[in-house]
């Protein structure tokens, strides 16, 4: 056994050390790759996917999910970012940058000979301390009825997105779409299912043409033949899952027709069959028919469209199977699998249904306005000049809705601009001075790592990071809890006064997830490849 040099330090076999070092280097490389996209002045990444598709984004979870990461430790950071996306929806870049900084701190502590298990244990304690510090001393409670505060929190989230110049329009849309879903008693809600909000993308126009529709929108116009209606007042809506076309046998077959009389009889019977179906639909009182897409045979044909047009019924075809539940919850209708079960109580209602021509593209969509909406759903109609802008606007609005969802889960707001991390870092340093043993070393290293967020914000904004972070530390030491970096003016300001605020859940979730990931990476001392 080798003699212990320089006091009792950890002497471990070289393999465990090398594997841990390799894991830390790989994970830090992932963090360094997206560090430049943090904050309102962060850079965007241009990604070319294997399919040849091009994607522009600065959302951490999107960038990492598209990266082809091979190292298992680096993959853990990608999964950490996705966990943050599910839990809070925002802060997906921050969580990875923070994890990278914590791994850097671990490198220094390991070099001092501190055992990885001790570091992991201390880091868990530090994360708990940070979350309680932030909740008790830095966070401010918020009510869901305070719409202005919610909009400010969403604007802070959108300030770092590609569509940040449209945040004045998108922020209220995101807030209202989530509040609509909460139902009559928003104060009692504890979570929001964002699947109740439908995003309809339409190419053409600009992001400024985006609107929140209190009702339903289908991304294509109604299917109509000559003389068919395109606008219906006081609509009675039927969602049918049966086909308005001639029946077919279950197996392939050929009908051989020897003379014209037999051919006429087949056509006449087909016409009679379809007319009978259309009459039953008319008899139920429906004046708008939604037809579900069919893969077995034609869901409709020209003849059925002709009969329905003659009866003054507006037809919307190719309703996706996945959209059926959402449509039923919005319109209050019941899907009808067979014509015999179609009855007036299975119909949905709307004040007005009609084709609307979108400005900027000439494309038509069907809008349902004045619906009963028993399921409390919302529809956002997104517009954009090209596919890249449209896709990024969709991701940004989703992130904005996640911010409102975070506030529904935990009703506390906290200052942005690196204020929360600096406050936590300062209080953790004070705690480290009162703590004895190895915990004190680890707390100090953890507190230093937390400052990577304000440091990176300043660096990405083109400011002098050391000067700014030192000034920020001084402001917090003097008791200015909301002091953060104003990247537009390049100085320290009170973030609460500037309305740069974010949900507490985003910051606490990032700290917890980053700490868990780092501790998992630390505890690995061997890499076993199973072929």
């Amino acid at each position: 056994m080798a003699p212990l040099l320089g006091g009792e330090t950890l002497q471990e076999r070289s393999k465990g050390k090398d594997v841990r070092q390799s894991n830390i280097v790989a994970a830090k490389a992932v963090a360094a790759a997206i560090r430049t996209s943090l904050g309102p002045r962060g850079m965007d990444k241009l990604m070319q996917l294997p399919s040849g598709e091009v994607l522009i984004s600065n959302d951490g979870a999107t960038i990492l999910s598209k990266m082809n990461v091979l190292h298992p430790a680096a993959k853990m950071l990608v999964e950490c970012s996705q966990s943050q996306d599910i839990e809070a929806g925002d802060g997906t870049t921050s969580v990875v940058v923070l994890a990278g900084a914590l791994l850097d701190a671990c490198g220094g502590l390991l070099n001092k000979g501190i055992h990885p298990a001790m570091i992991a244990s201390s880091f868990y304690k530090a994360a708990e301390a940070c979350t309680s510090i932030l909740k008790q001393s830095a966070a401010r409670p918020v009510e869901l009825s305070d719409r202005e505060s919610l909009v400010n929190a969403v604007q802070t989230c959108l300030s770092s997105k590609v569509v940040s110049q449209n945040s004045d329009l998108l922020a209220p849309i995101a807030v209202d779409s989530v509040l609509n879903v909460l139902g009559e008693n928003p104060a009692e809600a504890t979570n929001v299912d964002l699947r109740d909000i439908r995003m309809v993308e339409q190419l053409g126009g600009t992001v400024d043409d985006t609107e929140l529709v209190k009702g339903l929108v289908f991304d294509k116009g109604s299917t109509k033949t000559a003389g068919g209606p395109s606008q219906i007042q006081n609509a009675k809506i039927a969602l049918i899952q049966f086909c308005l076309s001639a029946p077919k046998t279950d197996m392939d077959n050929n009908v051989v027709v020897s003379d014209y009389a037999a051919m006429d009889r087949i056509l006449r019977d087909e016409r009679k069959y379809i007319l009978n179906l259309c009459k039953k639909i008319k008899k139920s009182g429906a004046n708008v028919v939604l037809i579900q897409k069919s893969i077995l045979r034609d869901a409709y044909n020209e003849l059925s469209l002709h009969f329905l047009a003659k009866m003054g019924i507006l037809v919307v075809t190719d309703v996706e199977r996945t959209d059926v539940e959402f449509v039923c919850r919005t319109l209050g209708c019941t899907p009808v699998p067979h014509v015999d079960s179609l009855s007036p109580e299975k119909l949905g209602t709307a004040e007005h249904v009609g084709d609307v021509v979108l400005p900027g593209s000439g494309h038509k969509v069907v809008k349902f306005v004045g619906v009963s909406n028993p399921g409390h759903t919302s529809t956002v109609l997104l517009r954009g000049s090209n596919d890249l802008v449209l896709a990024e606007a969709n991701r940004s609005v989703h992130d904005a809705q996640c911010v409102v969802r975070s506030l529904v889960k935990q009703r506390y707001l906290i200052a942005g601009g690196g204020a929360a991390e600096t406050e936590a870092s300062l209080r953790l340093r004070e705690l480290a001075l009162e703590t004895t043993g190895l915990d004190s070393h680890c707390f100090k290293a953890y507190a230093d790592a937390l400052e990577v967020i304000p440091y990176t914000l300043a660096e990405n904004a083109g400011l002098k990071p050391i000067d700014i972070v030192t000034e920020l530390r001084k402001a917090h030491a003097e008791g200015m809890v909301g002091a953060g970096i104003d990247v537009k003016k390049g100085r320290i300001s009170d973030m609460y006064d500037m309305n740069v605020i974010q949900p507490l859940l985003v910051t606490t979730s990032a700290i917890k997830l980053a700490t868990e990931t780092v501790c998992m990476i630390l505890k690995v001392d061997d890499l076993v490849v199973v072929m």
Side-chain angles (χ1 to χ4, degrees):
M1 182 178 167
L4 290 175
L5 303 172
E8 278 194 52
T9 54
L10 171 71
Q11 301 286 322
E12 64 175 337
R13 63 200 180 91
S14 60
K15 173 132 195 231
K17 203 171 181 180
D18 292 345
V19 167
R20 196 172 287 115
Q21 200 57 42
S22 149
N23 288 347
I24 289 174
V25 167
K28 275 167 64 180
V30 170
I34 65 164
R35 196 177 147 189
T36 52
S37 63
L38 181 73
R41 293 288 167 93
M43 297 294 172
D44 302 334
K45 304 280 183 240
L46 182 72
M47 291 158 279
Q48 187 160 17
L49 307 183
S51 60
E53 187 189 345
V54 174
L55 199 68
I56 297 174
S57 182
N58 65 358
D59 176 49
T62 307
I63 297 166
L64 289 175
S65 64
K66 303 295 180 193
M67 275 167 74
N68 192 8
V69 180
L70 298 174
H71 196 286
K75 273 184 183 167
M76 285 168 71
L77 242 65
V78 175
E79 284 161 12
C80 169
S81 172
Q82 284 164 354
S83 301
Q84 174 75 359
D85 198 31
I86 293 163
E87 176 63 25
D90 194 22
T92 49
T93 311
S94 309
V95 73
V96 178
V97 172
L98 191 55
L102 289 172
L103 285 168
D104 209 12
C106 291
L109 294 170
L110 288 167
N111 290 339
K112 286 180 182 173
I114 301 174
H115 194 282
M118 279 298 304
I119 298 172
S121 164
S122 296
F123 272 18
Y124 276 127
K125 288 180 197 167
E128 280 301 317
C130 284
T131 50
S132 61
I133 287 165
L134 290 176
K135 190 166 185 179
Q136 286 162 18
S137 62
R140 294 183 179 184
V142 66
E143 289 300 322
L144 293 180
S145 53
D146 182 3
R147 186 170 174 274
E148 193 182 340
S149 294
L150 301 187
V151 171
N152 288 335
V154 169
Q155 282 185 329
T156 305
C157 162
L158 290 173
S159 66
S160 62
K161 307 291 180 197
V162 177
V163 292
S164 56
Q165 67 272 21
N166 305 101
S167 62
D168 290 345
L169 170 82
L170 296 179
I173 286 177
V175 171
D176 292 341
S177 65
V178 176
L179 292 180
N180 287 353
V181 170
L182 288 177
E184 281 89 15
N185 297 325
E188 293 172 15
T190 54
N191 204 345
V192 183
D193 188 355
L194 292 182
R195 286 173 297 189
D196 290 342
I197 303 170
R198 189 166 182 239
M199 311 287 253
V200 179
E201 297 180 7
Q202 276 299 323
L203 205 58
T206 62
V207 179
D208 286 329
D209 297 328
T210 298
E211 60 177 313
L212 176 66
V213 180
K214 288 189 176 174
L216 188 64
V217 174
F218 283 102
D219 55 3
K220 50 175 266 183
S222 61
T223 308
K224 66 175 198 286
T225 52
S230 60
Q231 309 290 330
I232 298 278
Q233 292 289 347
N234 300 324
K236 294 272 186 288
I237 305 153
L239 173 58
I240 63 171
Q241 295 178 306
F242 54 87
C243 299
L244 293 179
S245 58
K248 276 167 72 175
T249 54
D250 289 341
M251 50 191 173
D252 282 340
N253 64 343
N254 291 319
V255 178
V256 180
V257 182
S258 53
D259 62 342
Y260 282 114
M263 192 169 161
D264 284 345
R265 198 161 62 248
I266 290 170
L267 290 172
R268 192 166 61 248
D269 282 355
E270 183 183 327
R271 184 184 173 92
K272 193 175 170 185
Y273 175 82
I274 291 172
L275 182 57
N276 190 30
L277 288 178
C278 294
K279 278 180 177 172
K280 284 183 179 176
I281 291 171
K282 180 68 178 171
K283 192 179 174 185
S284 71
N287 51 14
V288 175
V289 173
L290 310 179
I291 305 177
Q292 186 181 311
K293 209 179 230 183
S294 170
I295 52 170
L296 296 173
R297 58 189 173 113
D298 294 337
Y300 60 94
N301 58 20
E302 286 299 318
L303 197 57
S304 57
L305 290 179
H306 169 72
F307 286 141
L308 290 171
K310 278 279 178 65
M311 294 171 181
I313 296 174
L314 185 141
V315 184
V316 180
T317 56
D318 297 341
V319 177
E320 293 287 349
R321 188 180 291 271
T322 49
D323 292 339
V324 167
E325 189 197 352
F326 184 89
V327 169
C328 291
R329 290 181 60 195
T330 307
L331 301 176
C333 58
T334 308
V336 181
H338 192 270
V339 70
D340 291 341
S341 57
L342 183 60
S343 57
E345 59 270 14
K346 291 190 176 176
L347 304 181
T349 55
E351 284 174 15
H352 180 260
V353 177
D355 285 350
V356 177
V357 180
L358 296 177
S361 67
H363 191 82
K364 279 185 183 177
V365 296
V366 183
K367 247 188 203 179
F368 293 72
V369 186
V371 298
S372 56
N373 202 351
H376 299 293
T377 59
S378 288
T379 304
V380 178
L381 180 59
L382 285 167
R383 307 296 309 284
S385 52
N386 59 40
D387 288 328
L388 293 177
V389 173
L390 210 50
E392 184 57 22
N394 193 340
R395 282 191 293 274
S396 301
V397 172
H398 180 266
D399 280 3
Q401 289 164 345
C402 287
V403 165
V404 186
R405 186 184 65 183
S406 299
L407 288 169
V408 173
K409 284 184 184 175
Q410 202 174 9
R411 292 171 195 191
Y412 286 96
L413 282 169
I414 200 164
E421 290 82 2
T422 312
E423 180 68 18
S425 168
L426 186 76
R427 302 284 166 250
L428 199 58
R429 271 204 193 86
E430 290 172 2
L431 191 64
L433 294 174
E434 299 164 14
T435 315
T436 54
L438 292 175
D439 279 355
S440 176
H441 274 288
C442 298
F443 280 12
K444 192 171 180 312
Y446 195 99
D448 290 341
L450 282 174
E451 285 188 345
V452 74
I453 301 290
Y455 188 95
T456 308
L457 280 175
E459 200 173 48
N460 289 350
L463 310 173
K464 292 178 180 173
I466 296 172
D467 294 359
I468 290 285
V469 172
T470 310
E471 204 180 323
L472 192 57
R473 243 187 249 159
K474 177 172 171 281
H476 278 268
E478 289 168 356
M480 192 174 164
V481 178
I485 302 168
D486 180 359
V487 291
K488 292 192 174 82
K489 293 179 182 167
R491 60 190 173 85
I492 304 299
S493 306
D494 192 325
M495 295 287 110
Y496 287 120
D497 293 345
M498 295 182 62
N499 291 326
V500 177
I501 46 180
Q502 63 186 43
L504 173 67
L505 185 69
V506 171
T507 309
T508 53
S509 166
I511 289 172
K512 284 178 187 168
L513 287 170
T515 308
E516 275 176 24
T517 307
V518 167
C519 293
M520 278 169 71
I521 291 173
L522 263 188
K523 287 181 178 177
V524 173
D525 75 337
D526 211 339
L527 184 62
V528 180
V529 180
V530 182
M531 298 305 283

